[in-house]
Amino acid sequence: MHVHDVMSTGVVTAKPTDTVRSVVIKMISRHCGAIPVVEEGSRLIGMVTLRDVLIPLYPNYGDYIHDNVHSRDFVEMEEGYAGVLGQKVQEVMSLNPLTMSPGTPVLEAASYMGLKNFRRIPVVEKGKLVGMVSLGDINRGLFFDRQHAADPSAPLEVAR
């Protein structure tokens, strides 16, 4: 089984000049934690995650070393969220994300995800974004493929 067998297509994307606010709205409304960032012709240039949006609000490591209780006003930090939402995606996105090709075996993709602690990876062919593959996609593909192979006529049991 390969990535192209299980990946999602028709992926929601962002442009580098979009606001962080618009991308967070897309992530929340679609229940996803990452959006690929593309340029003209669907060329993948980065990823923006909910974590990327929150990182600018985190205190520096040194702040914790000096005084881990009184060093930061977390309420004040939260008030900075509006400023982060006004930034452009290119200011917070991760550049040159790890990608998979459609022909990558699914367990190889899952292995990279486990090593990097990623839940999803963009799928790219000839520099263009063609889909996304998630751990859930891989699990569903493996489960249904194995279920069907074991007994194609068996109904699926659903836990209630």
Side-chain angles (χ1 to χ4, degrees):
M1 181 176 302
H2 295 90
V3 166
H4 66 82
D5 296 317
V6 299
M7 71 182 192
S8 299
T9 58
V11 177
V12 174
T13 62
K15 294 180 279 188
T17 55
D18 289 347
T19 64
V20 171
R21 176 185 301 280
S22 70
V23 174
V24 169
I25 289 169
K26 288 178 185 181
M27 284 190 258
I28 291 170
S29 66
R30 303 223 195 289
H31 304 286
C32 68
I35 302 272
V37 182
V38 297
E39 287 186 324
E40 292 297 319
S42 297
R43 189 174 74 81
L44 180 71
I45 61 168
M47 290 282 287
V48 64
T49 67
L50 286 172
R51 184 176 186 277
D52 293 329
V53 173
L54 290 175
I55 282 177
L57 301 176
Y58 294 169
N60 294 323
Y61 180 70
D63 293 341
Y64 283 117
I65 292 173
H66 299 299
D67 182 355
N68 64 352
V69 176
H70 302 98
S71 63
R72 296 297 289 214
D73 181 346
F74 288 95
V75 173
E76 182 181 310
M77 288 170 54
E78 185 178 328
E79 291 169 0
Y81 188 62
V84 173
L85 293 176
Q87 291 180 313
K88 299 295 182 194
V89 167
Q90 62 197 6
E91 297 176 65
V92 300
M93 71 181 188
S94 299
L95 295 170
N96 304 313
L98 175 67
T99 63
M100 294 288 137
S101 74
T104 303
V106 293
L107 290 180
E108 181 179 343
S111 175
Y112 282 115
M113 289 178 184
L115 288 170
K116 297 290 189 175
N117 199 25
F118 292 163
R119 297 188 54 76
R120 63 197 52 78
I121 293 180
V123 182
V124 173
E125 188 169 43
K126 297 180 183 169
K128 292 185 178 186
L129 180 71
V130 295
M132 292 283 285
V133 64
S134 70
L135 289 173
D137 295 332
I138 292 169
N139 277 313
R140 275 187 296 281
L142 289 171
F143 174 79
F144 286 112
D145 185 58
R146 299 300 175 249
Q147 179 79 10
H148 182 74
D151 183 358
S153 64
L156 291 176
E157 294 182 28
V158 178
R160 294 180 191 237

